[in-house]
Amino acid sequence: MYVQQLYTGCLAQAAYYVESEGEAAIIDPLRDIQVYMDIAKARNAQIKYIFETHFHADFVSGHIDLLKKTGGKIVYGPQSNAGYDIITAKDGEEFKLGKCIIQVIHTPGHTIESSCFLLKDESGKINSVFSGDTLFVGEVGRVDLAASHYLSKEELASMLYDSLEKLKKLPDEVIVYPGHGAGSACGKNIGKESTTTIGAQKKNNYALQPMDRKMFVALMTDGLETPPQYFFTDAVINRKGYENSIDTLLVQNTHALDTSQFKKEMETGIVVIDTRNAEDFAKEHIPGTVNVGLGGQFAIWVGSLFGNVPFLLVCDEGKENEAVMRLARVGYDSVRGYLKGGVKTWKDAGNKTQNVETVEASEFMKHIGKDKVVDVRNEGETAKGMVKDAISIPLVSLQSRLNELDKNEHYYVHCAGGYRSMVAISLLQKDGFTKLTNVNGGTAAMQKAGIKLEVPAEA
């Protein structure tokens, strides 16, 4: 028996390769499927099954392409209704994989069809559970993403209560392989570890502590932040299916544009994403472009800030394929092209660039209490401490709250480390704000510099 976790940090997502006696199963694959086929080929194995824990909202799955390329059968749990051929398994149904068994455990709550998969070894002993978005490290799945006019988040939370009771009955030593890690919006506050055990979660996970159903439902439905825009689109794509493979998209969407072509596209009002790191963007960038660096949770932030619209890209040379790939992972398939030669080509053609003023935390300290400060961290972060008199506007809400800021004022903008603050400043510049300064390193650097963060009175 062989198990390999394939973790993708930019999506905080975990897929799994499971194998026994030359037969393999892939659990919750991403859209770029070559890695799974490469592992199977290297291990001289055949992909027999593609198990999906649910219809994912945060990424487009690679299940359909894997089916086409490997012939592996797609398996979902009960109450699944897809627009393509699947096996809709019964609760408790078992699938043989070599000398091992994968058993379906229906665990609705995050979604109606949500299921976990128990892996039983050659002796029939439960080795592990692939818990999808039902159980995470220190957290459980959100109950609002699949809520609709016929099923409320309260009803889903009640279902999750029963589902967790099922998992709590598993032996303490059973390994838990979750579908996501820290940073995913599929849970409120997921822990950093990539695996855990049932025993550890029964001890440390707040949602698995003894409580009645009413208390659990109240806990699950409180403090849910607005999910990224693309979540609901991706859930529909995963349910109905898709036509374009990742290979096709890489060819279609990595179209090099010269400066004149790029400018002509920009004049249509298209969203232009500069995927370089924040430091390079600060030095110089094309006016009107939005900085979302590939070095962070690129696709998540593009999907959180913009609808599924056409994009243009500005990239470091050789990074175009990566940018297109990562957008495609979240179902953003409409990239009109990228600027050939990047910002240098733009400048060489005689076009203007912008920059962003940046200060270190030690210098910023002198301005606290004198100048206006905008904190673009989320509410959970600001509740733990903020700069004195700072204005809290989470990045995901910034575009809808621009009217709260004055273009005549000078703002120091910060986040926790510097990634989100540069995204925020680029959005503000795009809207016509000119008096902006980025605080390099965010609150992490501030604390090292001795700046005290104050807990808001309402927290």
Side-chain angles (χ1 to χ4, degrees):
M1 183 178 73
Y2 176 78
V3 178
Q4 182 176 343
Q5 183 185 70
L6 296 105
Y7 194 80
T8 303
C10 65
L11 289 175
Q13 189 269 350
Y16 296 90
Y17 175 95
V18 185
E19 181 201 309
S20 175
E21 299 293 308
E23 294 184 343
I26 312 299
I27 300 173
D28 292 342
L30 287 180
R31 199 171 185 181
D32 36 320
I33 62 171
Q34 191 60 46
V35 61
Y36 314 118
M37 296 192 298
D38 287 346
I39 296 171
K41 182 178 179 180
R43 294 183 59 81
N44 196 28
Q46 178 66 40
I47 295 175
K48 184 178 181 181
Y49 294 114
I50 303 133
F51 288 98
E52 293 282 6
T53 55
H54 62 295
F55 294 114
H56 306 284
D58 59 306
F59 66 92
V60 175
S61 180
H63 54 329
I64 294 174
D65 284 343
L66 271 174
L67 168 66
K68 292 177 180 177
K69 291 197 174 187
T70 70
K73 296 179 179 179
I74 300 172
V75 181
Y76 279 93
Q79 300 189 45
S80 301
N81 182 19
Y84 45 89
D85 290 337
I86 65 171
I87 295 173
T88 304
K90 299 181 180 66
D91 187 22
E93 186 170 350
E94 296 184 340
F95 294 82
K96 188 175 181 182
L97 190 75
K99 292 184 178 180
C100 297
I101 295 291
I102 294 181
Q103 183 179 11
V104 179
I105 305 297
H106 190 209
T107 51
H110 179 65
T111 66
I112 289 293
E113 77 285 349
S114 281
S115 297
C116 298
F117 302 117
L118 295 183
L119 176 60
K120 299 179 180 180
D121 65 19
E122 296 84 351
S123 67
K125 181 181 178 181
I126 299 174
N127 171 272
S128 50
V129 58
F130 299 92
S131 59
D133 288 20
T134 298
L135 176 62
F136 302 123
V137 176
E139 187 56 270
V140 293
R142 289 175 63 153
V143 295
D144 60 322
L145 300 182
S148 65
H149 63 281
Y150 62 89
L151 203 64
S152 68
K153 60 185 177 181
E154 287 78 13
E155 289 171 308
L156 285 165
S158 183
M159 292 178 181
L160 184 59
Y161 181 84
D162 294 325
S163 295
L164 294 175
E165 289 299 315
K166 282 186 181 181
L167 296 183
K168 285 161 69 174
K169 292 175 182 177
L170 295 174
D172 285 355
E173 67 272 15
V174 169
I175 301 167
V176 176
Y177 290 117
H180 292 288
S184 169
C186 292
K188 289 189 284 188
N189 190 26
I190 303 173
K192 295 180 180 179
E193 296 83 358
S194 60
T195 65
T196 183
T197 64
I198 290 293
Q201 291 311 295
K202 284 163 64 176
K203 181 179 179 181
N204 302 316
N205 191 319
Y206 75 97
L208 270 63
Q209 303 312 303
M211 69 183 85
D212 62 28
R213 188 183 301 271
K214 184 177 180 181
M215 183 182 296
F216 179 85
V217 170
L219 195 60
M220 291 301 103
T221 54
D222 181 54
L224 293 167
E225 296 181 357
T226 303
Q229 295 186 45
Y230 70 93
F231 268 35
F232 303 102
T233 301
D234 282 9
V236 172
I237 292 173
N238 284 321
R239 184 183 296 276
K240 290 186 176 180
Y242 52 85
E243 294 182 5
N244 288 331
S245 70
I246 195 71
D247 298 332
T248 299
L249 289 173
L250 285 174
V251 173
Q252 290 179 351
N253 291 357
T254 50
H255 179 54
L257 302 173
D258 63 29
T259 305
S260 60
Q261 292 172 316
F262 195 83
K263 286 184 74 173
K264 189 174 181 180
E265 287 281 5
M266 282 191 72
E267 289 168 0
T268 67
I270 193 171
V271 176
V272 186
I273 306 296
D274 187 325
T275 69
R276 299 173 301 150
N277 65 47
E279 291 78 12
D280 289 338
F281 183 86
K283 289 175 185 175
E284 61 180 352
H285 57 270
I286 299 169
T289 59
V290 180
N291 178 230
V292 188
L294 287 173
Q297 292 186 320
F298 170 71
I300 289 177
W301 278 113
V302 173
S304 298
L305 297 170
F306 304 104
N308 200 339
V309 297
F311 296 99
L312 289 179
L313 300 175
V314 177
C315 306
D316 286 323
E317 189 174 358
K319 291 292 186 179
E320 301 86 12
N321 272 22
E322 181 183 350
V324 169
M325 173 87 75
R326 287 168 67 173
L327 288 172
R329 284 174 179 166
V330 296
Y332 280 30
D333 294 356
S334 184
V335 177
R336 295 268 179 85
Y338 66 93
L339 178 60
K340 187 177 182 180
V343 175
K344 183 180 184 302
T345 301
W346 180 267
K347 273 185 64 182
D348 290 347
N351 296 301
K352 292 182 179 180
T353 60
Q354 276 185 307
N355 69 332
V356 177
E357 180 181 78
T358 300
V359 297
E360 300 301 319
S362 55
E363 174 64 24
F364 169 64
M365 189 185 303
K366 302 173 186 176
H367 298 271
I368 297 174
K370 301 176 184 177
D371 295 294
K372 293 187 179 296
V373 179
V374 177
D375 185 338
V376 298
R377 296 176 300 157
N378 63 40
E379 293 175 0
E381 293 171 293
T382 57
K384 298 175 183 177
M386 294 178 62
V387 172
K388 179 179 172 61
D389 297 327
I391 304 165
S392 174
I393 305 181
L395 176 57
V396 72
S397 306
L398 180 62
Q399 293 179 94
S400 63
R401 296 175 59 183
L402 290 172
N403 62 337
E404 297 178 26
L405 302 176
D406 184 347
K407 290 179 181 176
N408 295 314
E409 292 281 0
H410 186 165
Y411 294 102
Y412 286 81
V413 184
H414 79 86
C415 59
Y419 182 89
R420 287 173 289 175
S421 59
M422 195 60 72
V423 179
I425 284 177
S426 67
L427 288 169
L428 289 166
Q429 281 189 337
K430 187 174 186 294
D431 196 65
F433 287 80
T434 57
K435 301 175 182 180
L436 303 164
T437 302
N438 181 57
V439 182
N440 194 30
T443 53
M446 292 179 202
Q447 289 176 308
K448 288 182 180 179
I451 296 174
K452 185 179 179 182
L453 302 181
E454 299 180 357
V455 177
E458 66 274 16

